[in-house]
Amino acid sequence: MAAAPHRRWPLLPQLGLALAVLLAVATAAEAWTGEIRGRVVCDVCGDAAIGPEDHALEGAEVAVLCITKSGEVINYQAFTDSKGIYAVAETMPESDRWESCLARPISSFHQHCTRRGDAHSGVKFTYNKPSGNSHIIKTFLYKPANTPLYCS
């Protein structure tokens, strides 16, 4: 009778790997991920309607303030990309997820489009999306100090 083959991998590291995978799965089940997205646009004619003359604002700053279920206040800062889109996201325990948030434009660094387009530019909302889903904010508008003549 032949001797049993010698194991190359000891059982202890395999057990440790299995335990690590189980812990990761258990932690992931309790985690919650939220995302807030929006756009910032230059309203060239200042008519509060997005049209073909308007364009995305790259580098515009947006602040998002959220209150968690535990009462913690978290402040996020985001900047728009070349398409005028900003996003903030966070993964946290489900028991401490965002409850309500306020998003507002802070500044535009565009050379012509620097005035906020709407008087009430902040958007307050309850965050009730399931984990992994985005809350989309209405588009924030900036307008130029001087409206072009073709807008009249």
Side-chain angles (χ1 to χ4, degrees), residues 32-36 88-92 98 127 130-134:
W32 174 88
T33 301
E35 182 182 50
I36 298 164
V88 297
E90 177 110 25
T91 298
M92 58 188 70
W98 297 328
Y127 198 101
S131 182
N133 290 297
S134 297

Side-chain angles (χ1 to χ4, degrees), residues 96-114:
D96 201 30
R97 61 179 278 176
W98 297 328
E99 195 167 63
S100 62
C101 298
L102 170 71
R104 64 186 187 94
I106 299 298
S107 60
S108 165
F109 298 104
H110 189 271
Q111 63 183 1
H112 301 292
C113 217
T114 56

Side-chain angles (χ1 to χ4, degrees), residues 4-126:
H6 177 54
R7 280 192 163 211
R8 291 185 180 182
W9 298 100
L11 189 57
L12 192 56
Q14 291 173 350
L15 200 56
L17 178 63
L19 184 59
V21 169
L22 284 174
L23 284 174
V25 169
T27 304
E30 296 172 9
W32 174 88
T33 301
E35 182 182 50
I36 298 164
R37 300 174 63 84
R39 288 182 68 209
V40 181
V41 169
C42 178
D43 181 14
V44 174
C45 290
D47 57 3
I50 298 173
E53 71 281 356
D54 301 327
H55 59 87
L57 283 179
E58 182 175 7
E61 183 181 5
V62 177
V64 180
L65 184 104
C66 291
I67 300 173
T68 65
K69 285 186 172 185
S70 66
E72 181 182 3
V73 177
I74 305 174
N75 193 21
Y76 301 94
Q77 178 184 28
F79 292 90
T80 56
D81 63 14
S82 62
K83 296 178 182 176
I85 296 171
Y86 67 91
V88 297
E90 177 110 25
T91 298
M92 58 188 70
E94 170 72 34
S95 60
D96 201 30
R97 61 179 278 176
W98 297 328
E99 195 167 63
S100 62
C101 298
L102 170 71
R104 64 186 187 94
I106 299 298
S107 60
S108 165
F109 298 104
H110 189 271
Q111 63 183 1
H112 301 292
C113 217
T114 56
R115 294 177 45 217
R116 285 194 201 146
D118 12 10
H120 304 15
S121 57
V123 177
K124 184 178 177 182
F125 57 94
T126 301

